[in-house]
Amino acid sequence: MYRRICTRYVQFEIRYATLIRSGNFGHKLKAVKYASTLGERVRPMDEIKDVKELDRLLELVRDRSDPAMKSVMPMRSPQLWIESLRTGKTPQPAPTLEPADGASQLAPRPMHYSYSEFVIPFSSNPLVLEQYTNAKGGIRTGKLMEDLDALAGGVAYKHVMKPGVAELTGSINDRGFYIVTASVERLDMLSPLTPKNVKDLRLSGQVIYTGRSSMEVVVKMEALGQDNAEETIMLGRFTMVCLDAFTNKARPVNPLIPMTEDEKKLYAMGEALKTRRQLRGKQSLNQAPPSSEEATSLHNLYLKYGDGTRCSDGIEPVPIGETLLENTMQMYPQQRNIQSKVFGGYLMRLAYELGYSNASIFTRVPLRFLSLDEITFKHPVPIGSVLRLKSRIGHTIPTGTSSVVSLSLYSPDNWLRIGAACRC
C-alpha cells in the first residue's frame, strides 16, 4: 500500500526521492522537477548526469598522484579532553604554514597535491567489519558518511598545508586558521552495500576547485575485489571553508592550478557545481516565493487528498505533521574534532540514521539508500550541549520517500537553530 504525504499547511519539499522501496519497483532513481522562480532551472538530473564523468576523471587524477603522499591527515583531536580542561589550550608547537595575509602570496597547488586515500579492511579484518555491520549483515551507511566527512576535512587541510606536514599540531590560534565543512552538496550511492558483497573499501578524495576561501572537495568510495577489480560505490561532494582563527572571517586558500585537460575538465565541473549551488540557494523558499507551477502542484495535491480520506486510487494520505520523529541527546567530548567542537561527520550520521528510521516507519518496508541531497552547517556544536534532531517525511513518489531532518541545539545560553538540514 502506497502512502502519500498530505500538505494541510504550506510546508513542502520539491526534491527527488532518495530512499526507494525494495521489491518489484526496481532500483531506478526517479526525478521530480525542481522548480525555479529565477529563470534558469536547477534540476535533479543535472546533479545525476555529472556522476559518471566525475568518477572517470577522478581516477585519472589519482593515477598521477604520488603514492608516498596519499596518507590522510587525522581530523580527531590528539589531546585528551581532561588535559584541555586543565590547560585551556594545546601547548604543542605549530606546524609550518603558508602565508596568511593574502591569496596572491599563497603557493598554487596542483590538483593531485591534496589527493588522499585509506582502506577500510572489511573482508580481511572481521573486527573492523564488526564495527560497521548493521542488523542485517550489511554496512552502516551512516558510519561511512562519518568517515567521508573526516576524509574531506583532511583533504582540505592537506591542500593548504606545506608539503611534508602529515598531521595538525598546536592549537587553532597557533595555526592562525581552521577549516570547517560548510555543506555536503550531495552523496550518491551508485552500488548497494549488501551482506553478499562486503569487500575492502578504499575511500579517497581531493580538491577539484578553489574559490577565494572555499574548496570543493570530491570524495569517492570504491569496493576492492579480487584481481585488483574496483567498483565505485559512492561519490560525494563537500564544500570546505577556511576561516581566520582570530576574526572567524573567511581566509584565503591556496589557488588550484589544473595542468592537464582532464584536470581542467574537473576544475570546470567544480566551478559549475559552485555556481549551481549558489543558484539553488536563490531558489529556496527563504529567498523566493513558490512559482506558479509549484503552487498549482500543491493546490492539486490538496484538492485530491486534503480531506484525509482514502481515494479511489487506494492511496492513504498522511499529513506531514504526523510524520514527525525526534531525537534528543547530549554531546560528549569523545565525538570532538580538532577544533574541540562536535565532529560534523558524527552529526551527519545522527541525521542520516534518524531520517532513515523515519522513512522505515513511514513506508513499513525495507529501504535502500540512494542519495543524500544536501546538508548545510551554519553553526558549530559545542561539547556539552544538548542536540535535538527532528525528522519529517517531506515528499513521496510511488517508488520512494524523501525525509527531511533539522537540528536544534541547546547551549548554556539559549536554544538556537544550528541550521543543519539533511534530506535523505
Side-chain angles (χ1 to χ4, degrees):
M1 178 182 65
Y2 171 51
R3 310 173 75 204
R4 176 180 286 278
I5 283 294
C6 171
T7 50
R8 288 181 175 168
Y9 46 89
V10 182
Q11 177 181 351
F12 64 97
E13 296 288 338
I14 299 183
R15 299 282 179 177
Y16 46 91
T18 56
L19 287 167
I20 67 173
R21 299 167 182 262
S22 60
N24 297 328
F25 293 111
H27 301 305
K28 184 177 180 181
L29 180 64
K30 290 193 174 182
V32 176
K33 186 180 298 181
Y34 191 104
S36 168
T37 60
L38 300 176
E40 182 182 356
R41 296 176 184 270
V42 177
R43 304 174 188 274
M45 295 308 295
D46 292 336
E47 305 283 355
I48 300 171
K49 69 181 181 181
D50 295 331
V51 171
K52 290 186 178 180
E53 179 66 5
L54 190 61
D55 185 23
R56 184 186 71 84
L57 294 173
L58 289 173
E59 184 173 352
L60 295 175
V61 174
R62 181 191 69 193
D63 292 341
R64 287 191 290 272
S65 62
D66 185 354
M69 300 296 291
K70 293 182 178 181
S71 61
V72 178
M73 191 169 292
M75 289 292 99
R76 298 287 188 177
S77 175
Q79 186 183 33
L80 298 177
W81 179 251
I82 192 66
E83 291 298 325
S84 65
L85 292 179
R86 290 173 181 171
T87 63
K89 63 179 181 178
T90 308
Q92 294 102 328
T96 303
L97 304 175
E98 292 284 4
D101 52 353
S104 62
Q105 300 182 26
L106 298 175
R109 303 293 195 210
M111 191 168 287
H112 62 264
Y113 179 88
S114 62
Y115 179 83
S116 305
E117 69 173 38
F118 68 96
V119 174
I120 306 178
F122 287 146
S123 63
S124 55
N125 192 329
L127 295 180
V128 173
L129 177 62
E130 175 69 17
Q131 298 175 17
Y132 286 78
T133 303
N134 61 27
K136 297 180 180 179
I139 304 300
R140 294 176 59 187
T141 305
K143 283 188 67 66
L144 293 177
M145 290 181 181
E146 195 170 353
D147 292 334
L148 289 175
D149 182 73
L151 172 63
V155 167
Y157 271 104
K158 193 173 186 179
H159 176 81
V160 301
M161 304 295 283
K162 280 191 172 182
V165 177
E167 61 180 345
L168 296 174
T169 58
S171 67
I172 293 177
N173 290 345
D174 293 331
R175 289 191 293 272
F177 75 97
Y178 61 101
I179 294 175
V180 298
T181 304
S183 64
V184 184
E185 294 305 313
R186 189 174 174 85
L187 290 176
D188 286 288
M189 182 71 78
L190 306 181
S191 181
L193 288 170
T194 66
K196 295 182 180 180
N197 74 341
V198 173
K199 304 174 183 177
D200 288 354
L201 291 184
R202 177 172 61 207
L203 278 62
S204 61
Q206 65 192 62
V207 176
I208 66 167
Y209 176 80
T210 57
R212 181 181 179 275
S213 61
S214 65
M215 293 164 278
E216 302 293 321
V217 177
V218 175
V219 294
K220 182 178 179 180
M221 185 186 304
E222 300 167 280
L224 306 178
Q226 297 179 350
D227 301 325
N228 296 321
E230 301 172 356
E231 180 185 13
T232 301
I233 300 295
M234 185 185 292
L235 277 176
R237 305 196 306 267
F238 290 71
T239 299
M240 316 299 293
V241 175
C242 185
L243 301 176
D244 187 273
F246 303 99
T247 65
N248 295 319
K249 294 182 179 180
R251 170 184 168 127
V253 298
N254 303 71
L256 188 67
I257 305 297
M259 296 181 176
T260 67
E261 289 301 317
D262 294 327
E263 290 181 353
K264 291 177 181 178
K265 291 180 182 179
L266 263 180
Y267 188 89
M269 290 181 69
E271 186 175 18
L273 292 171
K274 180 179 179 179
T275 301
R276 189 184 303 166
R277 180 179 69 252
Q278 293 171 339
L279 178 60
R280 193 167 61 236
K282 294 178 181 179
Q283 295 172 348
S284 71
L285 288 176
N286 293 329
Q287 301 293 329
S291 67
S292 58
E293 186 179 3
E294 291 172 327
T296 299
S297 176
L298 184 62
H299 184 243
N300 290 338
L301 186 65
Y302 173 77
L303 292 178
K304 188 172 184 180
Y305 304 106
D307 59 0
T309 59
R310 189 185 300 274
C311 299
S312 58
D313 55 12
I315 294 178
E316 174 191 353
V318 180
I320 286 181
E322 294 184 6
T323 67
L324 175 65
L325 190 65
E326 296 187 41
N327 193 7
T328 303
M329 60 187 66
Q330 185 87 24
M331 295 292 100
Y332 293 104
Q334 287 74 24
Q335 301 298 338
R336 70 190 184 280
N337 57 20
I338 57 176
Q339 284 89 247
S340 292
K341 304 294 184 181
V342 176
F343 181 48
Y346 177 65
L347 298 177
M348 283 180 61
R349 174 161 68 88
L350 295 179
Y352 167 80
E353 291 177 348
L354 179 62
Y356 190 92
S357 298
N358 199 358
S360 298
I361 294 172
F362 180 79
T363 59
R364 306 170 187 172
V365 294
L367 297 169
R368 173 191 163 197
F369 171 73
L370 286 182
S371 66
L372 184 148
D373 194 16
E374 183 180 9
I375 299 178
T376 302
F377 298 99
K378 294 185 177 179
H379 298 283
V381 178
I383 301 298
S385 57
V386 177
L387 191 72
R388 175 186 290 174
L389 298 93
K390 295 183 179 180
S391 171
R392 292 179 177 85
I393 303 298
H395 186 69
T396 60
I397 57 176
T399 57
T401 67
S402 174
S403 74
V404 181
V405 184
S406 63
L407 288 76
S408 299
L409 169 68
Y410 178 74
S411 67
D413 298 325
N414 57 358
W415 278 97
L416 65 150
R417 187 98 167 192
I418 69 170
C422 170
R423 297 179 179 90
C424 55

